[in-house]
Amino acid sequence: MTSPDEKTGCIYEHTSVDNPVPFAGRAKSLRLQRGIRPWMASLIAIGGIIGSIYYLGSGYLIAEMGPSVILLYAIGGLVIWTVMQSFAELLVNVPRQGNFISHSAEFISPTWAVGTGWSYWFNWCAYIPSEAVAGGIIMHVFAPQLSVVAWAVIFLTMITILNIIHVGGFGFVESSLSLIKIIHNVVFCIVAVLIIFGFFGNGGPIGFSVLFPPNSDPFTDIFPAGVFILISNLALILVNFQGSEIVGLAASETQNPDKVVPKACRQVVYRILRVDIIPILLLVMILPYSEAGLEDSVFSLALAKYGFTEIAGVLSFIVLTAAFSCANSGFYGAVRALYGLSLEGMAPKMFSRLSKQCTPMYATLFTLLICWAVLSLWWISNGEGELYLWLLSVSAFTGAICWISICYSQVIFRKRIYERGYQKSDIKAPAPLSPYVPLLIGVVLEIFALVILVFNEDLRGSLFLSIPAVTVPMILYIIGRKTGRISGITIRHEDEKTFDELFPDRSQL
């Protein structure tokens, strides 16, 4: 269903599975000529969440905590499984085209929804410069004549130009790059297995000798930095899984969401297991944690150690494409999020104005301005390594707010329908073990992981950006409501049913 805009002549359309980019807006969205087909959407769903944090950030985590990074990934997988199950229940039972922002407003509070919406936008604004820095780190390996900061500026300039001058083929480019990242992980897994069994490499079979050196303590081998570090770095690992909610958003717009949404939410967890965790397990089996770091892709470092320098170079170049891919798609998501916030009444109306090219140019320019401002933090940091970790942890903090909101909204939703006399059998796609698992894993554990950032010397500096990104919009909204400058926000679209209509009170019958 489409409708024209009287001032610009631009055509609006309902979001669909062919356009799986998250945005916190109403049912009508810009037709941005992206042309994302279903097969492209599937590839983006699988490979789109694989960014530089996976290739570079994992090197930092392995260096910090050794092989226990596998357990950290497992905990992160449990968190995203909990989030996706909760999200599926909300999407199927209380359809809201404003997605988790509308759910937050309806089941938690409008004020919290404003903080969630703006922090989700800022999540991308921190993530995009982090990918530019990652691209700079990789390019500095290939061409050290330019500094990392110079390469990062070049990367962000390219993103700026691409998004000011509309370029078609978004779906094809992003799906192709996603396919390249998937092939990267498959190739690495194959070569790593051959190294482990002695078919390739500089010596014979290595088996578990790297993971468990001779005459060593197995517990110390797995936890060289102790057990507590699992929690202190949990927020950082969650960045690896950000974007998973896109799958649920896309599936909710299909013709049969009751079946498609739960299936899609389950599949994203299985994909994470296959595409993310298995390569990391093989990585720690062939690369001593003391040799990992942020200087290059940790996967390239591992293969170069065994003489595969040519393949390592190719993998490093793939990391470069991954950084560019995620920065570009992240920017598109950021603009759509800000545009949607404007439609919902959570942001100034100017951000939903359209140019003659049918693009939200004000939202684009403001997002670019903030991305450049974030990158300029380079001058007060201690180099690219510290800045990269800061930006990742900012993205982790603000992105986790979204997941916490999803889980807590589901808990409140379940509480309310039980109060109205409904049973679990009346709920479509019920989240398992609710409310205990969503509350403990999706809310308490994530909040604890964010609080622990205070005690992580490498990451605590990010809190000066993260906390204001959530609290300042909430404060401004409260002031605006009290002074009458803000009338309120849009929780649901006119063609959506209220909670009372969906679940009339049975307790009085």
Side-chain angles (χ1 to χ4, degrees):
M1 180 178 180
T2 61
S3 58
D5 179 87
E6 295 179 357
K7 294 183 178 180
T8 64
C10 299
I11 302 296
Y12 292 82
E13 66 177 358
H14 286 284
T15 54
S16 69
V17 72
D18 293 337
N19 194 4
V21 181
F23 94 110
R26 292 163 60 184
K28 295 177 181 177
S29 62
L30 287 174
R31 178 182 291 172
L32 292 178
Q33 309 278 334
R34 296 297 190 182
I36 300 178
R37 301 181 182 276
W39 66 269
M40 297 178 182
S42 297
L43 283 174
I44 294 173
I46 299 172
I49 62 175
I50 305 176
S52 68
I53 171 62
Y54 184 73
Y55 301 112
L56 285 177
S58 294
Y60 165 80
L61 289 172
I62 293 172
E64 286 288 303
M65 57 192 304
S68 63
V69 70
I70 293 297
L71 295 177
L72 186 62
Y73 267 92
I75 296 173
L78 177 61
V79 171
I80 189 56
W81 177 83
T82 301
V83 170
M84 295 306 292
Q85 296 300 318
S86 298
F87 202 18
E89 181 176 318
L90 288 172
L91 289 169
V92 171
N93 292 279
V94 190
R96 290 288 180 267
Q97 294 173 22
N99 55 72
F100 56 85
I101 308 298
S102 295
H103 289 136
S104 298
E106 192 164 9
F107 295 110
I108 303 177
S109 79
T111 302
W112 176 256
V114 170
T116 300
W118 275 96
S119 66
Y120 189 72
W121 168 77
F122 193 73
N123 159 52
W124 293 109
C125 291
Y127 185 76
I128 295 163
S130 77
E131 295 291 1
V133 174
I137 292 173
I138 296 299
M139 279 306 301
H140 187 66
V141 174
F142 289 107
Q145 297 84 357
L146 287 179
S147 65
V148 174
V149 64
W151 281 117
V153 169
I154 291 172
F155 259 76
L156 194 53
T157 301
M158 293 171 61
I159 296 297
T160 300
I161 294 173
L162 282 175
N163 286 277
I164 290 181
I165 303 174
H166 177 67
V167 178
F170 176 86
F172 178 78
V173 171
E174 289 305 315
S175 58
S176 299
L177 293 176
S178 293
L179 180 60
I180 290 173
K181 289 183 279 186
I182 294 169
I183 292 174
H184 168 288
N185 285 13
V186 171
V187 170
F188 175 81
C189 287
I190 293 173
V191 176
V193 168
L194 294 175
I195 291 174
I196 290 170
F197 286 98
F199 293 101
F200 288 159
N202 299 326
I206 63 174
F208 292 95
S209 61
V210 172
L211 195 57
F212 301 105
N215 303 319
S216 62
D217 176 28
F219 182 85
T220 303
D221 293 337
I222 299 297
F223 301 98
V227 177
F228 180 74
I229 198 170
L230 289 172
I231 300 300
S232 65
N233 281 316
L234 178 58
L236 199 58
I237 205 69
L238 296 180
V239 184
N240 277 284
F241 306 137
Q242 284 183 14
S244 301
E245 67 279 353
I246 296 175
V247 179
L249 294 174
S252 67
E253 298 295 335
T254 60
Q255 294 180 349
N256 192 6
D258 290 3
K259 292 183 178 180
V260 175
V261 168
K263 180 180 179 181
C265 291
R266 287 194 301 270
Q267 284 181 341
V268 71
V269 180
Y270 302 151
R271 289 167 180 168
I272 287 172
L273 174 65
R274 294 194 300 266
V275 180
D276 278 24
I277 299 181
I278 292 177
I280 293 292
L281 174 61
L282 295 173
L283 176 64
V284 298
M285 292 181 65
I286 65 174
L287 180 70
Y289 71 90
S290 59
E291 298 180 21
L294 281 173
E295 294 78 18
D296 193 1
S297 164
V298 68
F299 295 91
S300 299
L301 290 173
L303 295 189
K305 174 181 174 64
Y306 293 92
F308 294 96
T309 53
E310 293 82 5
I311 296 179
V314 172
L315 296 190
S316 291
F317 181 77
I318 290 176
V319 176
L320 191 66
T321 64
F324 183 81
S325 165
C326 289
N328 192 40
S329 59
F331 185 86
Y332 180 53
V335 172
R336 289 294 291 274
L338 184 55
Y339 171 80
L341 288 170
S342 179
L343 290 180
E344 295 284 358
M346 301 184 192
K349 291 297 182 184
M350 63 179 293
F351 294 133
S352 57
R353 294 177 187 172
L354 308 180
S355 67
K356 293 181 179 180
Q357 291 74 35
C358 300
T359 58
M361 186 55 66
Y362 286 112
T364 299
L365 294 176
F366 185 68
T367 301
L368 281 171
L369 176 65
I370 298 303
C371 287
W372 279 104
V374 171
L375 184 62
S376 68
L377 293 174
W378 192 294
W379 310 114
I380 63 172
S381 69
N382 292 322
E384 63 272 6
E386 182 178 72
L387 178 64
Y388 183 65
L389 293 176
W390 277 5
L391 297 183
L392 288 180
S393 56
V394 168
S395 185
F397 188 102
T398 52
I401 295 297
C402 155
W403 289 359
I404 292 169
S405 298
I406 289 173
C407 291
Y408 193 58
S409 295
Q410 184 272 329
V411 170
I412 298 301
F413 161 73
R414 185 73 71 91
K415 177 177 180 292
R416 287 187 184 178
I417 63 170
Y418 283 165
E419 290 174 348
R420 294 188 168 215
Y422 291 85
Q423 305 296 323
K424 184 177 180 180
S425 58
D426 298 313
I427 303 173
K428 302 174 185 176
L433 303 176
S434 178
Y436 307 107
V437 170
L439 194 58
L440 294 177
I441 303 298
V443 178
V444 176
L445 181 60
E446 287 198 74
I447 291 176
F448 185 61
L450 299 184
V451 172
I452 290 298
L453 286 174
V454 175
F455 303 98
N456 190 318
E457 294 184 3
D458 294 334
L459 306 180
R460 69 167 62 125
S462 65
L463 296 176
F464 292 104
L465 288 177
S466 303
I467 295 177
V470 181
T471 57
V472 170
M474 295 170 63
I475 294 172
L476 293 177
Y477 177 76
I478 293 172
I479 295 174
R481 288 288 287 168
K482 288 185 175 181
T483 58
R485 298 181 64 87
I486 298 177
S487 58
I489 65 175
T490 302
I491 294 178
R492 61 183 182 85
H493 191 249
E494 58 187 9
D495 60 355
E496 294 173 344
K497 293 183 178 180
T498 66
F499 179 77
D500 291 336
E501 292 172 333
L502 291 169
F503 298 95
D505 196 345
R506 289 181 178 177
S507 62
Q508 304 300 324
L509 300 179

